[in-house]
Amino acid sequence: MADVLQVQDLKVHFHAPEGLIKAVDGVSFRIPEGKTIALVGESGSGKSVVSQCIMGILPRVGRIADGSILFFDPAVPKADPIDIANLNRDSKPMRQLRGGRISIIFQEPMTSLSPLHTIGDQINEAFLLHSSVSRAEGKRAVVEMLRLVGFPDPPRAFDTYPFELSGGLRQRAMIAMALVCRPAILVADEPTTALDVTIQAQILKLMQDLQEELGMAILMITHDLGVVANVAEEIVVMYHGKVMESGTLDDIFRNPEHPYLNALLRAVPRFNMKAGERLVPIREIKPHAGQLLLQKDPWPESDASVPLLKVDHLTKRFSTRKTGLFGFGGGSNESPAVDNVSFELFRGECLGLVGESGCGKTTTSKIVMRAISADSGQVSYNDHGKIIDVLALSERELQKYRRRVQYIFQDPFGSLNPRMTVFDIISEPLVIHNVGDQAERFERVRELMTLVGLDIRYLRRYPHSFSGGQRQRIGIARALALQPDLLICDEPVSALDVSIQAQILNLLKDLQSELNLTYLFISHNLAVVDYICDRIAVMCAGRLVELARREHLFRNPVHPYTKALLSAVPNPDPGSQLDLTALMAGKASDPDAWPAPFSAMDGGSLELVNIGNDHFVRADSVPSLQVAATL
């Protein structure tokens, strides 16, 4: 099969204040016509720099030092290839290629779309730049493309703004913009990293369908080996700007040869891991708690059977106001973010709270922290034998409660003050709660840095000088500064590469054992939750739909939403492809689409029913044996 793109001995240099950086160092690969090639590696490996060179959007501080990027246009089979590396980025030939014959989908759809223009206008603009048609004809073409990428009401979608769309629909709009000119090559730069597993599976299926229909080639840039195993035919593995290994899908997964590729594969969480088996990160962290961190208040011995945290019938609704011109008129409606949620969390346990974006996971955690108030329900916390009503705490009592409960945020960079040094960031909780004198605080910070595997020489550095994994470790150190009993981990590894993710997950497991911590672990990645959690609670549309021990839930998922989530998790195994049929055509998270007894028919009520072994499923309130038989 003919190649549509050939990258030959590509070298890209960046001129930085600290000297010359060889971001890409002699990379070569090819993209056959109509095929999918995956470019795999950690952040900083040079993947995105290669894509920028192909699109002619390399930053000004970078330059192509050597090599060629040959584009063979299938529409003009007898023409000479175009060497993109030698084209001026602002020249007419490059502008004709960029967005016309070669398109790109970026990682974050919200920041890639203009918030001031409608979806239709932005896609139409790209189409009109590369074709000589009228605006009306362009609109018809755009509406057709919106239909092709799966928008439920394309004419209406044409006039919507990005903030009115979900993450999945925004990514579909980006795909429509990239494909409206029918390109020969689609460069997909981490197109599903920010999406939930069900939405990710739908986007991957959509790209495969469009590839078959349009006959285009795809360059998939990702660090997710599960995604690679489901979409790619050939794989190129990069590390520090160089190609470590390349080959077909079977070559890479069945017979990996390079130590770096083997290390990447061992770092990916899998459902079939043996009891006690650990992930093997490329760089391991060995935590060691100092004397100050181990000095914690003892627990009453008879207190083990009492939950550390108990959430009862928690409900929270948010009002959305629709205003007219200049803020006048309009109306308002309420949507339930958390709807009658109840669960218990025992000391030393890790409870996973899983579900898609918008299901109410983070809202529940913020109510537990008292960051937002609840409309109804109760949150009880066991403070060394004293039961506290969290929602009734005064401001002074709340400050003491928050010493016991701390938070690890999803975005390791956005949660750190860029104007504070690492020492100031980690010691800030100690200052706020008036813990120790200056000498003791310094010693505590030193212990915390050692505990999370950071060099104490970095104490005077600022967050921007650290990698994503190091920034997340700084966030963990800050959360542990007050020696809490409960850590709420809100998607703590979703923004990290697989090797760094394995490093942080192992660290969290080790810290739980060494410091006797309890975790409420929030995630949409079921493979991660399977690795770190003891019990798992599945949320959808503000409600818990299934709750069970990890081994029971994954061996015998009962609720259709849980089954859909599991079927949408991409496994790093070519022999285990995604089962898209269980996604129910995108209706997996729609309670009205669930069959009986999981949907309230004829005005019936739903409640969590125990079907055995403390495995709870939300279904009609009928005897457990009848529910089990129905399932």
Side-chain angles (χ1 to χ4, degrees):
M1 184 170 290
D3 294 337
V4 68
L5 191 82
Q6 292 179 359
V7 177
Q8 299 175 352
D9 197 29
L10 183 65
K11 297 179 181 179
V12 182
H13 296 169
F14 281 82
H15 295 276
E18 57 268 25
L20 187 69
I21 298 174
K22 297 181 179 180
V24 178
D25 192 7
V27 167
S28 299
F29 63 90
R30 68 188 183 98
I31 304 178
E33 187 176 345
K35 298 296 184 180
T36 299
I37 305 300
L39 206 54
V40 181
E42 299 175 278
S43 295
S45 63
K47 310 186 303 294
S48 292
V49 175
V50 171
S51 72
Q52 290 168 350
C53 293
I54 294 172
M55 295 300 300
I57 55 175
L58 194 66
R60 298 285 183 184
V61 294
R63 67 179 182 88
I64 298 177
D66 197 5
S68 61
I69 304 172
L70 301 178
F71 173 62
F72 302 83
D73 195 339
V76 193
K78 295 184 179 180
D80 292 332
I82 301 171
D83 189 353
I84 297 174
N86 288 330
L87 290 181
N88 186 302
R89 60 185 293 163
D90 298 321
S91 65
K92 185 177 180 180
M94 189 68 244
R95 291 200 306 269
Q96 288 175 334
L97 284 179
R98 185 192 302 128
R101 302 303 295 147
I102 307 176
S103 291
I104 188 168
I105 305 171
F106 294 101
Q107 179 173 353
E108 179 48 66
M110 193 60 186
T111 56
S112 304
L113 295 169
S114 169
L116 302 178
H117 300 87
T118 64
I119 293 296
D121 283 342
Q122 294 183 64
I123 300 174
N124 202 12
E125 178 188 24
F127 185 61
L128 294 176
L129 281 172
H130 296 279
S131 59
S132 55
V133 298
S134 66
R135 186 165 288 274
E137 290 174 315
K139 180 175 180 178
R140 285 195 291 271
V142 170
V143 170
E144 174 60 22
M145 182 55 68
L146 289 173
R147 183 198 62 77
L148 200 60
V149 299
F151 272 84
D153 188 353
R156 183 173 178 271
F158 187 94
D159 296 317
T160 58
Y161 289 87
F163 67 87
E164 298 179 282
L165 302 176
S166 67
L169 285 178
R170 283 198 294 264
Q171 196 62 291
R172 287 172 188 263
M174 284 292 299
I175 293 174
M177 187 185 301
L179 300 185
V180 71
C181 294
R182 311 280 170 144
I185 302 175
L186 175 65
V187 179
D189 190 358
E190 302 275 11
T192 60
T193 298
L195 303 178
D196 300 319
V197 285
T198 51
I199 305 300
Q200 172 180 265
Q202 292 172 34
I203 294 297
L204 294 177
K205 175 64 173 172
L206 171 64
M207 290 174 63
Q208 286 181 336
D209 293 343
L210 291 173
Q211 181 180 26
E212 292 179 7
E213 184 164 338
L214 303 178
M216 65 183 177
I218 295 178
L219 177 61
M220 175 71 74
I221 298 173
T222 183
H223 63 255
D224 191 332
L225 293 172
V227 169
V228 171
N230 281 272
V231 299
E233 281 123 331
E234 294 183 21
I235 300 168
V236 179
V237 182
M238 288 186 64
Y239 179 67
H240 280 193
K242 295 183 178 182
V243 174
M244 297 291 105
E245 190 167 349
S246 62
T248 64
L249 188 66
D250 283 339
D251 290 337
I252 295 299
F253 283 95
R254 308 291 190 203
N255 187 31
E257 295 182 358
H258 198 278
Y260 175 71
L261 177 57
N262 278 290
L264 275 184
L265 291 170
R266 289 195 301 269
V268 180
R270 304 174 303 279
F271 286 120
N272 58 351
M273 294 181 70
K274 300 175 183 177
E277 183 182 356
R278 285 171 64 93
L279 298 175
V280 184
I282 295 174
R283 292 164 293 276
E284 184 67 271
I285 305 170
K286 295 294 185 183
H288 176 70
Q291 293 300 315
L292 291 174
L293 293 175
L294 291 174
Q295 295 173 5
K296 299 180 70 173
D297 295 336
W299 280 81
E301 292 194 15
S302 60
D303 203 45
S305 61
V306 181
L308 180 69
L309 180 73
K310 187 175 182 180
V311 174
D312 278 327
H313 304 294
L314 207 60
T315 300
K316 177 65 179 180
R317 306 179 76 87
F318 287 110
S319 297
T320 55
R321 185 170 298 278
K322 299 179 179 179
T323 58
L325 191 63
F326 303 115
F328 298 103
S332 65
N333 55 16
E334 287 191 338
S335 58
V338 179
D339 190 3
N340 197 27
V341 167
S342 301
F343 61 85
E344 294 178 341
L345 177 57
F346 291 88
R347 189 157 53 91
E349 183 185 34
C350 180
L351 174 67
L353 202 56
V354 301
E356 296 174 292
S357 295
C359 72
K361 310 184 300 292
T362 298
T363 302
T364 301
S365 70
K366 288 181 177 179
I367 293 174
V368 170
M369 282 293 295
R370 273 285 299 274
I372 58 177
S373 59
D375 294 337
S376 62
Q378 189 174 16
V379 178
S380 302
Y381 178 75
N382 178 11
D383 186 3
H384 293 76
K386 180 183 178 182
I387 306 300
I388 298 172
D389 184 355
V390 175
L391 303 184
L393 292 177
S394 65
E395 189 171 336
R396 182 186 294 271
E397 293 169 330
L398 187 59
Q399 188 176 23
K400 183 179 179 183
Y401 164 72
R402 284 180 176 156
R403 287 192 60 174
R404 304 295 189 189
V405 183
Q406 285 289 299
Y407 211 97
I408 300 174
F409 297 93
Q410 177 175 0
D411 184 355
F413 190 67
S415 61
L416 302 177
N417 189 330
R419 298 190 176 188
M420 294 174 68
T421 65
V422 172
F423 176 81
D424 293 332
I425 289 170
I426 298 177
S427 63
E428 186 181 26
L430 303 173
V431 174
I432 291 173
H433 291 270
N434 198 27
V435 176
D437 55 19
Q438 189 171 359
E440 183 180 338
R441 290 171 192 161
F442 182 74
E443 187 58 33
R444 282 180 180 270
V445 172
R446 284 171 56 93
E447 286 190 6
L448 287 163
M449 289 285 282
T450 303
L451 183 67
V452 298
L454 290 174
D455 197 319
I456 59 174
R457 292 175 297 179
Y458 298 164
L459 282 174
R460 296 302 174 188
R461 290 189 181 183
Y462 290 86
H464 71 267
S465 61
F466 293 90
S467 67
Q470 288 174 324
R471 287 196 288 260
Q472 193 61 290
R473 283 187 261 163
I474 294 169
I476 293 172
R478 178 179 60 183
L480 294 174
L482 294 171
Q483 298 173 275
D485 296 311
L486 172 62
L487 276 184
I488 300 176
C489 309
D490 189 2
E491 302 272 14
V493 296
S494 64
L496 305 177
D497 296 325
V498 286
S499 58
I500 307 301
Q501 172 182 275
Q503 194 182 77
I504 297 299
L505 289 174
N506 282 352
L507 174 64
L508 288 172
K509 286 176 75 79
D510 293 339
L511 291 175
Q512 182 182 20
S513 174
E514 188 151 355
L515 300 178
N516 193 25
L517 295 170
T518 305
Y519 293 149
L520 178 61
F521 195 94
I522 298 170
S523 179
H524 64 255
N525 189 327
L526 288 172
V528 167
V529 170
D530 178 39
Y531 178 66
I532 197 170
C533 295
D534 302 302
R535 287 188 303 140
I536 298 171
V538 182
M539 281 190 77
C540 180
R543 290 187 166 191
L544 290 186
V545 296
E546 193 159 0
L547 173 64
R549 290 198 61 80
R550 174 190 58 80
E551 58 271 20
H552 294 152
L553 188 78
F554 290 117
R555 187 172 64 243
N556 181 34
V558 173
H559 199 279
Y561 178 69
T562 308
K563 292 180 179 179
L565 281 182
L566 284 168
S567 71
V569 177
N571 292 320
D573 180 6
S576 178
Q577 298 289 318
L578 284 176
D579 178 15
L580 297 174
T581 57
L583 295 177
M584 301 167 60
K587 296 182 179 179
S589 57
D590 181 7
D592 294 332
W594 296 336
F598 306 106
S599 59
M601 299 294 187
D602 303 322
S605 61
L606 297 176
E607 59 184 28
L608 285 173
V609 179
N610 191 346
I611 62 171
N613 294 319
D614 288 330
H615 188 156
F616 295 88
V617 182
R618 183 170 293 278
D620 283 326
S621 52
V622 292
S624 303
L625 292 176
Q626 184 177 344
V627 171
T630 306
L631 302 177

